[in-house]
Amino acid sequence: MSQAPSAAAPTVAWDADPALPVWDGLPVLDGTVSADACVVGLGGSGLAAVEELVDRGLSVIGIDAGRVAAGAAGRNGGILSAGGALLRAGAAPLSPDLRHDLYRACLAELDRLAEQLGREVIKPVGTLRLAGLPGEPADDTEAADRTCELADVEAEAAVLRSWGVAIEAYDDELGCGFYNPDTAGTNPVHRAYGLALRLATRARLFEHTAATAVHAGGVETQRGRIRARTVIVAVDGKLPQLVPQLASVARTVRLQMLATAPIAPRRLPCPTSFRNGYEWAQQDEAGRLFVGGGRDRFLEQEFTTDDEPTAPVQAWIATVAARLAAQPVTVTHRWAASVSYTEDLRAPVVLLEEGVAACGGYSGSGNLVGPVAARAAVALAVDGTTPPAYFRSSL
Ligand SMILES: Cc1cc2nc3c(=O)[nH]c(=O)nc-3n(C[C@H](O)[C@H](O)[C@H](O)COP(=O)(O)OP(=O)(O)OC[C@H]3O[C@@H](n4cnc5c(N)ncnc54)[C@H](O)[C@@H]3O)c2cc1C
C-alpha cells in the first residue's frame, strides 16, 4: 500500500513544527574555561544533569558536539513511556520491585517535565502498546506472532494494574493491547529547546563543541579545555566512541523514522508502540504521522555509528505507515539518529575516574530513563551515591 521510497530529504519533521520556540543557537567554546562541573552532551539526559548540578548551587558548563536536539533527543518518536524497554514483560532482567521503582522514577521525571514545560509540550494523552503490526495480520506468521506477543502484552498490563495503574484494554481496528493513561507524548525538539532555554540563564551552554577526551579534572575539546572537578558524560549513542571503557557494555545502534503528509481521518488516539516496541508512531494535530522502527529486520546493518537513513529500513517503515493509515501515504521527511543498546537492557551509570561519571545505553527508550540516569550520575560523581540497582553501576 505504501508508495515506493520517495526522494524526501533526510530532514527531521519535528523541526518543522510552527509551535517550536525560536532557537538562536548557542556559542562555540574557544580556549580554556573553568567551572565546578561540566556536562558533555545536551540531549534530554545532559540537560537534566545540568539542571541537577545548578540546583546544587554549582557553576556548570554544558557542551554539545552539534546543535541542542540534533542527536536522538530531537529525532526520536516523542513517546514518554515510563521504564522503556525494561518494562516489557518478556524482556525483564529486573525484579518486580526494581521495575516498579524505575517506573515511579520515570513518572516523577515526567511530572517534572510537565511542570516545567506545560501541557502544550508534554501532552498527557497516555500511550498505547499494541501487539503485532497495525491492522489485521497479513498472513499466518503475523497472526501467530501477534498471538504470542499478546501473552506478553497481557502480562505487562497485569503488572501495571497490580501497581494501581488504570490500564484499559484496547481492541480496535489498529490492533489489540492496552492503554496506559500515566504516560505522554511530545515533540522531542520542543522538549529539548524548552529545557535548554530555561537553563541557558543558569549555566554556560555551548553548541558545536565536541569533547575529544574526558578525564579527572576536566574535558578536552576541539578548540580548548574545560577545567571542572565534576564531569558528567551523557552522550548515549556516542558513548562507546567517547568512553572506550564502555564499548563492551553499550553498542551504538541507528534508529530510523519518517513523517507523512497529513492523513484523514485521524488514525492514532495517542502515541503508540507496535510489535514489541520495534515500531512506534505518533500523529500530530495536523494529521501527519511520525513513524519509526524496523531495526530488528536489518539488525546487523543498524549496528553502526552512521546516522543517515537507509532505503531498506525506510521502505519497511513506509509499509508500516501505510498499514497504520489504511491508505497510501506520502513520505515528506526521513531521518535517523544514534542511540546505544546494552545486552540486558540495563543502562550503565558508572564512575570512570574520581568526579567523572557516564550514563547512556538506554536501548532506544531513554526519553525518561535518560534523565533519571543523568541525575543518578550526578549523585554518583558529586556525593559518591551508588546508583539505584535498576542501573548497572560497575563496568
Ligand atoms: C529514531 C529514534 C526514535 C526514538 N524514539 C524514542 C521514543 O519514542 N521514546 C523514548 O523514550 N526514546 C526514544 N528513542 C531513544 C531516545 O531518543 C534516547 O534514548 C534519548 O534521546 C537519549 O538521550 P540522551 O540525552 O542521553 O542522548 P542524545 O539525545 O543522543 O543526546 C546526546 C548528545 O550528545 C552529543 N554528543 C555526542 N558526542 C559528543 C561529544 N564527543 N562531545 C559533545 N557532545 C557530544 C550529541 O550531539 C547529542 O546531542 C528514540 C531514538 C531514536 C534515534
Side-chain angles (χ1 to χ4, degrees):
M1 259 204 297
S2 67
Q3 294 177 342
S6 76
T11 52
V12 185
W14 299 119
D15 286 339
D17 182 347
L20 285 185
V22 174
W23 186 251
D24 290 329
L26 297 167
V28 177
L29 178 61
D30 250 325
T32 299
V33 287
S34 301
D36 294 326
C38 175
V39 175
V40 181
L42 297 177
S45 313
L47 289 166
V50 171
E51 181 195 45
E52 192 72 20
L53 289 159
V54 293
D55 281 352
R56 288 165 181 252
L58 301 180
S59 62
V60 180
I61 291 174
I63 60 171
D64 198 287
R67 192 202 71 186
V68 163
R75 296 181 173 211
N76 67 68
I79 301 181
L80 299 169
S81 65
L86 274 171
L87 252 285
R88 275 196 291 280
L94 301 180
S95 70
D97 283 352
L98 283 179
R99 286 159 75 196
H100 194 189
D101 289 351
L102 176 61
Y103 186 80
R104 283 191 299 216
C106 289
L107 286 191
E109 198 60 48
L110 181 57
D111 285 347
R112 186 193 297 253
L113 280 174
E115 194 178 311
Q116 291 175 335
L117 302 175
R119 298 165 65 93
E120 290 304 306
V121 182
I122 306 299
K123 299 177 177 146
V125 289
T127 56
L128 280 171
R129 178 186 170 187
L130 301 185
L133 287 162
E136 285 301 313
D139 53 34
D140 290 350
T141 310
E142 267 194 22
D145 287 349
R146 179 175 300 199
T147 303
C148 187
E149 192 190 341
L150 266 175
D152 263 2
V153 170
E154 277 157 18
E156 185 182 338
V159 169
L160 289 164
R161 280 196 189 99
S162 76
W163 295 343
V165 184
I167 293 296
E168 291 168 28
Y170 183 94
D171 187 355
D172 212 327
E173 56 182 337
L174 285 178
C176 260
F178 66 81
Y179 172 72
N180 181 343
D182 276 359
T183 46
T186 191
N187 171 339
V189 179
H190 204 157
R191 171 216 175 164
Y193 279 1
L195 292 177
L197 287 168
R198 284 173 61 89
L199 290 167
T201 53
R202 305 180 69 203
R204 282 177 286 167
L205 304 182
F206 299 91
E207 291 182 319
H208 306 291
T209 302
T212 52
V214 293
H215 49 74
V219 173
E220 308 300 320
T221 70
Q222 287 154 321
R223 293 158 66 169
R225 168 174 297 176
I226 298 155
R227 294 203 182 98
R229 180 196 292 255
T230 300
V231 177
I232 306 295
V233 182
V235 298
D236 190 22
K238 305 296 181 199
L239 199 57
Q241 289 75 54
L242 187 57
V243 183
Q245 300 98 299
L246 283 171
S248 60
V249 174
R251 201 168 168 198
T252 302
V253 164
R254 173 174 53 203
L255 296 178
Q256 305 199 30
M257 289 192 70
L258 58 73
T260 71
I263 302 294
R266 277 192 78 77
R267 295 285 296 166
L268 274 180
C270 62
T272 304
S273 68
F274 299 93
R275 201 173 65 86
N276 280 310
Y278 282 117
E279 273 80 38
W280 60 88
Q282 251 202 85
Q283 191 166 21
D284 70 4
E285 285 77 7
R288 300 187 303 168
L289 286 172
F290 294 69
V291 187
R295 172 184 88 88
D296 63 315
R297 301 181 75 93
F298 304 91
L299 202 55
E300 280 314 309
Q301 294 95 306
E302 297 308 288
F303 281 116
T304 173
T305 55
D306 183 273
D307 54 12
E308 291 299 319
T310 61
V313 175
Q314 289 289 323
W316 167 253
I317 310 175
T319 306
V320 176
R323 283 181 67 157
L324 185 48
Q327 58 184 282
V329 294
T330 302
V331 176
T332 56
H333 299 75
R334 304 178 185 282
W335 67 93
S338 298
V339 295
S340 68
Y341 274 62
T342 64
E343 206 154 312
D344 68 356
L345 304 177
R346 272 197 313 158
V349 176
V350 292
L351 200 63
L352 302 172
E353 290 182 67
E354 194 180 339
V356 183
C359 54
Y362 312 118
S363 300
S365 49
N367 273 343
L368 295 178
V369 178
V372 174
R375 293 184 202 282
V378 170
L380 176 62
V382 176
D383 309 324
T385 306
T386 304
Y390 43 74
F391 294 127
R392 176 184 175 141
S393 56
S394 61
L395 282 171

